[in-house]
Amino acid sequence: MLVATHLFAWNPALWSWPTLRADARALARRGHLDTEWSAGRTRQLEPGSRAFLVRLGVPPKGLFGAGTVMTAPVERAHWRKDKAAAGATTGYVMLRLDALYETPLVTFDDLACAPFAGFRWGIRQSGVRLPGALAEALEALWAARCALAAPTPAAPRARRVR
């Protein structure tokens, strides 16, 4: 049985993710990266679900990370300060990423082709569930792209000066 697969949005115009490069290097060293992520209003997120990160808003757009949902959503103040100040809340989940790249491995141009073309990849909030057949096709494409991608280089180690 295929596990549920969800998309989680990142828009650099709304949050710059200043530690993205360091996080990608940490993942390369450890084999995973645990990160808290907004799930918007989506409540049907179960631990063990598959997660893909989609870059939106600012080119290049596309899928740049993948992993597993580790926790059910927990409601807290919204991550955007202006919304939090107005009393807005959002759900958060813990994601365990097993792949993270600074630029998308699967671009919106790739997703404009069959069988992906009928799905709206420019999601408005995180936690959007992919249909099963689409999720299976995406897994195959993602695996192929990850196999071709150069691994994120680990941070250079400091040399001892004697």
Side-chain angles (χ1 to χ4, degrees):
M1 181 175 163
L2 185 67
V3 298
T5 300
H6 300 273
L7 290 177
F8 292 84
W10 174 51
N11 184 339
L14 299 176
W15 178 61
S16 66
W17 197 339
T19 61
L20 176 58
R21 178 170 285 160
D23 289 346
R25 285 194 301 256
L27 184 146
R29 283 191 309 275
R30 275 187 230 125
H32 72 273
L33 176 77
D34 292 343
T35 185
E36 186 176 70
W37 207 267
S38 170
R41 293 180 302 253
T42 305
R43 301 294 172 254
Q44 273 54 42
L45 288 165
E46 294 185 16
S49 298
R50 184 71 163 138
F52 281 97
L53 295 178
V54 60
R55 179 183 166 127
L56 303 170
V58 178
K61 299 176 186 179
L63 303 176
F64 70 102
T68 304
V69 176
M70 301 301 288
T71 63
V74 174
E75 195 79 13
R76 289 201 322 271
H78 200 281
W79 59 272
R80 288 181 55 183
K81 291 179 183 177
D82 58 331
K83 290 188 176 195
T89 61
T90 192
Y92 292 89
V93 294
M94 183 63 66
L95 299 178
R96 174 162 285 177
L97 300 177
D98 54 48
L100 181 63
Y101 298 89
E102 291 181 54
T103 59
L105 292 188
V106 176
T107 67
F108 268 30
D109 287 343
D110 298 322
L111 298 172
C113 300
F116 309 108
F119 188 80
R120 185 178 182 275
W121 294 95
I123 59 175
R124 293 185 172 256
Q125 71 172 9
S126 289
V128 172
R129 187 174 179 156
L130 289 177
L134 193 60
E136 285 186 54
L138 181 57
E139 282 291 352
L141 177 59
W142 181 256
R145 294 293 170 84
C146 284
L148 294 174
T152 304
R157 293 184 180 191
R159 301 181 106 192
R160 279 190 170 167
V161 178
R162 292 184 182 203

